[in-house]
Amino acid sequence: MFPRMSNSELMAPTNNLAMSTEKLRQRLVDEGVSELAIQDCEQIMRSEFSALQSQLVLLKQKQWLLIDTLRQLETEKVDLENTLVDESQRQAVNGGSIDLRHEKCSEGTATESDDDHERGDAETDEEDNTFFDTRDFLSSSSFKSSGSDFRTSSFSSDDDGFGSEDDTDPSIKAVGSDYPHVKRRKSLPEPVEKEKSVSLWSMIKDNIGKDLTKVCLPVYFNEPLSSLQKCFEDLEYSYLLDRAFEWGKKGDSLMRILNVAAFAVSGYASTEGRMCKPFNPLLGETYEADYPDKGLRFFSEKVSHHPMVVACHCDGTGWKFWADSNLKSKFWGRSIQLDPVGVLTLQFDDGEILQWSKVTTSIYNLILGKLYCDHYGTMRIEGSAEYSCKLKFKEQSIIDRNPHQVHGIVQDKSGKTVATMFGKWDESMHYVIGDCSGKGKLSEDMSGAQLLWKRSKPPGNPTKYNLTRFAMTLNELTPGLKDKLPPTDSRLRPDQRYLENGEFEMANAEKLRLEQRQRQARKMQERGWKPRWFTKEEGSEAYRYKGGYWEARESGSWEECPDIFGHVDSEQQTE
């Protein structure tokens, strides 16, 4: 994307330059020049310098004008390309299916993360630069969803299905069909107040070069969810892990890792169009999600303030999932780059363990144009399993008419490719048995492609935050739930609740109050504060759930959980 310049180059001042004439004066005095002549020389130097400074200011203004013009052109180009793609898809729907045109695998550019270089992969350039052009392939009539009677959970629409799965084992299709139905909300409350319009750039221009996770922004830039709840959002398509467990029970390790890989990709689907940031949790803040309609229970806690680390644990049907995560941010003037730090671990009840890390995320057009995010880099899923998987998320460019592509391969322990995956992180993932990742593969290699995962349809009542059906349930206080929650649960956070209700003035006031209180968090850590429900693994910086939360919930024993959202007097704050 243009231009990726450093902050100092973009914002370097040109109107505060200074010049000293002391050395010149001293030299002229040594030569015996009169005071009047010295003052004339100084005036001549100042005049020349002033003229030069004016020219520099003019050149700087021209540079900014050129940069703004190029950014505008870039934005218009991306918008135009997206419009053309949308129009071609609309015509395809109205006029019939588009012919399959995947005689050859198209080339793209795969951006490896820093972790990839540290691993020192001995891969060829050909492997790194090969991507399927999925646009026409996935829009083909042969790959459009035929629907399914199976509903993933209570918040899925009645017509949501997994696509064409005629060859799937009936017992696998039936996974989750015995989960109970739970009535959950399908929309957010109507806002009480009218929201004010605030420029994001006006808020962050004074914070260039700073860690943006420490920048206090008004509530208008938040969505009514915390980072703890966002962790659970990655489990929206947890049925893929249920299926992976069942495939493993049948002795099919290949289908197990394919479903795990599809799950790893599916976690990014809800980020499309989500431009508001989640609330940063307070130290010790927690979040629980008891979802019997998904066959799982999830729990997360903020375990460190500096650095900001969130840990989570989930008990599913036949599997356990845990992770801790931190984000390293880089601000490039017109974009923010977020590099995840941490490992995600999945353990099946039969003992098999798989691990992976997330890829880089960037948010573009902070200054001008339409905000959008992209995910790129390489994700490796490895562990004690018979197979491993490598997924490459293609970085979007200004000339890319088919963004969000993901291409993956599954290899056995000898390094042989046994299956190929392709799709988009915001749409669906397919697989074929065998290796068709090289250049020049014929279309018949793809004729047996099978659907692994398809994104759920958007909600019938869309929100300004572009929340999915699932996301709209995360902050809901279902009947009787409030009395069972600890005082640290994110659902009880007042600024977040005010924002969800559209009470923006109260939300801003509460956010400021809680952020002022949170400034004591560093001192708390220095004094030996420890998380209540997680502990560091011995010899590691990773956090693991130590148990006891659900037992405490059953008995209502929250004596050791402080009221972190309550008011604190000034004397306590200064201690």
Side-chain angles (χ1 to χ4, degrees):
M1 308 301 291
F2 178 88
R4 183 161 289 191
M5 302 171 66
S6 68
N7 299 331
S8 58
E9 291 175 315
L10 283 171
M11 305 300 291
T14 58
N15 56 358
N16 59 352
L17 301 178
M19 181 192 69
S20 173
T21 61
E22 288 300 320
K23 291 184 178 180
L24 174 63
R25 168 177 281 277
Q26 186 60 47
R27 183 73 177 87
L28 293 176
V29 169
D30 293 343
E31 292 294 329
V33 179
S34 66
E35 179 63 26
L36 182 61
I38 291 176
Q39 291 179 1
D40 287 342
C41 290
E42 287 180 325
Q43 184 59 40
I44 291 171
M45 279 197 63
R46 291 191 183 98
S47 298
E48 291 294 325
F49 182 80
S50 178
L52 177 61
Q53 187 175 22
S54 297
Q55 293 179 30
L56 287 174
V57 170
L58 181 61
L59 289 173
K60 191 68 176 180
Q61 291 173 344
K62 290 181 178 180
Q63 179 194 23
W64 268 103
L65 180 61
L66 177 60
I67 289 175
D68 286 342
T69 302
L70 288 171
R71 285 171 176 161
Q72 182 65 40
L73 289 172
E74 176 188 345
T75 302
E76 291 176 354
K77 181 178 178 62
V78 172
D79 289 343
L80 177 60
E81 289 170 347
N82 290 337
T83 301
L84 290 173
V85 172
D86 292 342
E87 179 65 18
S88 65
Q89 292 175 344
R90 185 187 66 80
Q91 291 178 358
V93 172
N94 294 336
S97 62
I98 302 174
D99 292 336
L100 278 176
R101 291 180 295 156
H102 49 278
E103 298 298 323
K104 295 184 179 181
C105 298
S106 66
E107 297 181 41
T109 302
T111 301
E112 299 259 354
S113 63
D114 293 339
D115 183 57
D116 302 333
H117 298 293
E118 293 172 2
R119 289 171 179 261
D121 277 345
E123 298 170 350
T124 65
D125 292 337
E126 179 176 319
E127 288 174 328
D128 288 339
N129 294 320
T130 303
F131 271 89
F132 294 114
D133 189 354
T134 60
R135 181 177 67 252
D136 292 339
F137 183 71
L138 295 181
S139 63
S140 166
S141 60
S142 61
F143 283 93
K144 289 182 178 178
S145 171
S146 63
S148 170
D149 293 332
F150 179 78
R151 297 178 64 208
T152 59
S153 63
S154 303
F155 41 80
S156 300
S157 64
D158 294 331
D159 56 355
D160 273 350
F162 297 139
S164 181
E165 299 177 327
D166 295 337
D167 297 331
T168 303
D169 189 312
S171 62
I172 299 297
K173 279 185 176 183
V175 170
S177 59
D178 57 343
Y179 294 158
H181 176 72
V182 178
K183 185 177 181 180
R184 302 190 185 277
R185 67 182 181 183
K186 298 182 179 180
S187 62
L188 297 183
E190 287 295 323
V192 176
E193 304 168 9
K194 185 176 181 181
E195 185 179 7
K196 295 180 180 179
S197 177
V198 184
S199 167
L200 177 60
W201 173 244
S202 68
M203 298 301 304
I204 65 176
K205 66 180 180 181
D206 296 328
N207 296 289
I208 292 178
K210 299 180 181 179
D211 183 354
L212 293 182
T213 61
K214 301 176 184 177
V215 176
C216 298
L217 296 175
V219 76
Y220 303 108
F221 300 113
N222 288 96
E223 62 180 11
L225 294 174
S226 75
S227 296
L228 298 170
Q229 292 164 313
K230 291 280 285 186
C231 290
F232 181 51
E233 197 171 354
D234 285 353
L235 288 150
E236 176 173 359
Y237 301 96
S238 60
Y239 71 84
L240 291 165
L241 299 184
D242 297 343
R243 288 186 165 193
F245 174 65
E246 290 299 324
W247 278 118
K249 285 172 59 178
K250 293 178 176 294
D252 197 329
S253 298
L254 177 57
M255 286 304 301
R256 169 174 281 189
I257 198 167
L258 284 169
N259 277 269
V260 172
F263 167 79
V265 174
S266 72
Y268 294 96
S270 64
T271 64
E272 177 67 6
R274 297 274 288 278
M275 293 302 108
C276 294
K277 70 184 291 287
F279 282 86
N280 287 331
L282 304 187
L283 188 64
E285 185 173 336
T286 63
Y287 175 71
E288 70 157 64
D290 186 6
Y291 275 57
D293 44 339
K294 292 176 68 67
L296 58 78
R297 292 195 306 186
F298 171 92
F299 179 74
S300 57
E301 180 182 14
K302 180 175 178 179
V303 295
S304 174
H305 186 61
H306 291 287
M308 204 279 272
V309 179
V310 169
C312 68
H313 180 91
C314 183
D315 293 303
T317 304
W319 51 269
K320 289 180 174 62
F321 173 85
W322 65 88
D324 55 50
S325 63
N326 179 24
L327 287 177
K328 290 185 177 179
S329 63
K330 298 176 184 177
F331 183 37
W332 295 98
R334 65 179 300 272
S335 65
I336 299 174
Q337 179 178 320
L338 303 173
D339 295 308
V341 179
V343 177
L344 293 78
T345 303
L346 173 67
Q347 181 176 7
F348 293 102
D349 286 359
D350 56 21
E352 185 176 314
I353 295 177
L354 291 167
Q355 293 183 315
W356 65 93
S357 296
K358 291 196 167 188
V359 297
T360 297
T361 296
S362 286
I363 302 173
Y364 297 98
N365 289 343
L366 296 177
I367 303 174
L368 185 68
K370 183 180 179 181
L371 279 173
Y372 71 95
C373 73
D374 191 26
H375 310 288
Y376 53 91
T378 301
M379 176 188 291
R380 288 177 175 81
I381 304 174
E382 301 171 321
S384 61
E386 180 182 351
Y387 299 102
S388 62
C389 179
K390 181 172 70 174
L391 295 164
K392 292 190 176 183
F393 291 65
K394 182 182 179 182
E395 184 174 12
Q396 184 176 349
S397 69
I398 61 174
I399 60 173
D400 191 355
R401 298 184 180 182
N402 188 24
H404 307 166
Q405 291 191 66
V406 181
H407 170 215
I409 56 173
V410 176
Q411 296 177 316
D412 61 18
K413 291 184 177 180
S414 68
K416 178 184 177 182
T417 298
V418 295
T420 304
M421 300 179 66
F422 63 95
K424 293 186 176 185
W425 52 258
D426 63 333
E427 288 186 6
S428 60
M429 288 298 294
H430 293 73
Y431 76 95
V432 290
I433 300 299
D435 183 4
C436 67
S437 59
K439 297 180 180 179
K441 292 288 184 179
L442 299 179
S443 59
E444 52 262 26
D445 292 334
M446 309 297 295
S447 59
Q450 295 290 316
L451 179 68
L452 279 168
W453 159 77
K454 181 182 177 182
R455 181 182 179 180
S456 297
K457 293 183 178 181
N461 301 300
T463 68
K464 68 180 290 290
Y465 309 104
N466 286 321
L467 301 182
T468 63
R469 286 191 182 92
F470 180 58
M472 281 193 284
T473 70
L474 303 185
N475 201 46
E476 181 182 12
L477 280 169
T478 53
L481 177 60
K482 186 175 181 179
D483 295 335
K484 299 179 181 179
L485 295 175
T488 53
D489 194 276
S490 295
R491 295 179 182 87
L492 306 179
R493 179 168 175 160
D495 52 352
Q496 185 171 307
R497 182 61 60 185
Y498 280 127
L499 177 62
E500 180 180 282
N501 294 334
E503 299 177 74
F504 303 109
E505 293 300 325
M506 287 296 298
N508 265 320
E510 283 296 302
K511 187 171 187 287
L512 178 61
R513 179 182 69 83
L514 291 175
E515 285 174 347
Q516 290 174 340
R517 178 172 179 172
Q518 184 67 358
R519 290 170 185 167
Q520 303 299 314
R522 181 189 289 272
K523 293 182 181 179
M524 290 170 59
Q525 281 191 252
E526 291 173 350
R527 293 170 184 168
W529 180 92
K530 299 294 182 183
R532 175 68 180 85
W533 308 105
F534 288 83
T535 185
K536 278 188 177 181
E537 292 183 320
E538 187 174 351
S540 170
E541 291 298 311
Y543 286 85
R544 285 290 302 274
Y545 175 58
K546 60 184 180 182
Y549 176 82
W550 298 104
E551 291 77 8
R553 184 184 192 271
E554 184 69 25
S555 62
S557 304
W558 302 126
E559 293 81 6
E560 297 185 35
C561 297
D563 182 11
I564 61 174
F565 304 130
H567 288 266
V568 179
D569 59 44
S570 58
E571 291 183 2
Q572 287 179 281
Q573 288 190 11
T574 55
E575 286 180 357

